[in-house]
Amino acid sequence: MTDRLTTFQRDGLTFDVADRGPLDGAVVVLLHGFPERATSWDAVVPALHDAGLRTLAPDQRGYSPGARPAGRRAYAVTELVADVDALVDAAGGAPVHLVGHDWGAIVAWSYAAQHPERVRTLATVSVGHPGAFLRSMAGPQVLKSWYVGAFQVPGLPERMAARRGGVMDRLLAATGMRPADLARFRREVVDDGALPGGVAWYRALPFTPPSWTSARVRVPTTFVWSDGDTACGRAQAERTAGWVDAPYRFRVLEGVSHWVPEHAPDELAQLLLDGVALEGAGGAGARA
């Protein structure tokens, strides 16, 4: 692959993608979460490029202006995973290093489980394996995830985000978002019309195949969790190891909020680079 990708297509939709770093480098696909876009990785990628890696950061379904289909079924995890597969094809089809934060982590877990032959290494941030997350809902996690239920109410998230400095902004600030993060949320998500599509990921949760939430991961994996995360608790983080049948590392960032790519980019970049080295770890003692 010698040309830069600015977009890729799937099923009549056009996705924007930021393609940076050495064109001949191993490909790292970076999946953003809610409510963010590909720019959430901006402070992380320079270190990856310096290490010779090429990064592809797409604006995912509902966020890219050309990929905002109607109906919540269009945002099922099966569709989100198929979008990533289309990006891997567009990048030449070779296996990639896959990274995801927040909702992007859920997509990354699912993609790695369904397409292990196309993933060299997996790195997920904040959100553990879907099976571990669901089991943790029997405890305090259910209170942390209250907003998932609120987002099912038609029009409610849009009303919460309607006013600058209103309910949504205050809730995001409480999770650790800084003024610059909130300004980007306003500009890239609310003002650009991406909020309904982002919320649709939550509304499509009932259409996730049960077998996908229990699918085990068999590729070298790094999971990064921060103890200042108000949305994703420790229980789901600690349970995740039980869902990975491969070299696995669990790393905790102390004093960092949920927004790891923005608030601890240097530490995260180093962990991602260390994770890339897991590809050659085989089965030898990497479960730390």
Side-chain angles (χ1 to χ4, degrees):
M1 188 77 184
T2 58
D3 297 327
R4 290 290 182 195
L5 290 175
T6 56
T7 62
F8 68 97
Q9 287 75 40
R10 177 182 168 253
D11 200 21
L13 304 176
T14 299
F15 298 81
D16 297 327
V17 58
D19 179 354
R20 293 173 285 187
L23 278 170
D24 61 350
V27 173
V28 181
V29 172
L30 300 161
L31 304 177
H32 66 80
F34 175 89
E36 299 186 297
R37 292 173 74 161
T39 55
S40 65
W41 298 105
D42 283 356
V44 176
V45 296
L48 305 185
H49 301 158
D50 289 345
L53 299 171
R54 176 186 178 188
T55 61
L56 300 177
D59 282 338
Q60 296 186 81
R61 179 174 293 240
Y63 295 88
S64 285
R68 296 176 181 172
R72 60 178 183 154
R73 283 184 179 271
Y75 295 87
V77 172
T78 50
E79 295 294 333
L80 305 173
V81 165
D83 295 340
V84 176
D85 209 36
L87 174 57
V88 175
D89 282 341
V96 301
H97 299 286
L98 184 61
V99 181
H101 171 244
D102 186 80
W103 249 111
I106 297 176
V107 178
W109 283 114
S110 299
Y111 187 85
Q114 300 301 319
H115 301 286
E117 76 285 353
R118 309 202 83 181
V119 179
R120 299 173 68 171
T121 64
L122 172 67
T124 55
V125 186
S126 301
V127 179
H129 187 281
F133 199 95
L134 284 175
R135 291 196 178 185
S136 73
M137 292 292 278
Q141 183 61 52
V142 70
L143 299 177
K144 295 177 179 291
S145 300
W146 66 269
Y147 58 91
V148 176
F151 283 4
Q152 306 304 314
V153 180
L156 180 59
E158 292 83 353
R159 292 195 296 273
M160 292 168 64
R163 185 169 61 84
R164 189 179 301 273
V167 175
M168 184 71 81
D169 285 19
R170 293 196 298 272
L171 289 173
L172 290 172
T175 68
M177 268 200 179
R178 299 166 179 168
D181 305 324
L182 291 169
R184 191 175 68 249
F185 160 68
R186 281 277 145 194
R187 182 175 63 254
E188 296 185 354
V189 178
V190 179
D191 296 344
D192 195 58
L195 184 63
V199 170
W201 291 36
Y202 293 92
R203 293 174 176 163
L205 280 170
F207 306 115
T208 301
S211 61
W212 281 39
T213 62
S214 60
R216 305 185 68 79
V217 169
R218 295 178 171 84
V219 300
T221 298
T222 298
F223 176 44
V224 181
W225 177 76
S226 49
D227 66 3
D229 196 321
T230 61
C232 303
R234 183 178 291 273
Q236 59 92 34
E238 293 181 343
R239 283 192 172 105
T240 289
W243 297 87
V244 181
D245 298 327
Y248 175 79
R249 299 183 317 143
F250 173 41
R251 295 293 182 263
V252 177
L253 297 177
E254 296 182 355
V256 178
S257 77
H258 176 77
W259 312 104
V260 176
E262 297 92 337
H263 297 176
D266 295 337
E267 295 93 329
L268 179 57
Q270 186 57 57
L271 290 173
L272 297 182
L273 290 173
D274 293 344
V276 166
L278 275 179
E279 183 181 11
R287 299 184 69 83

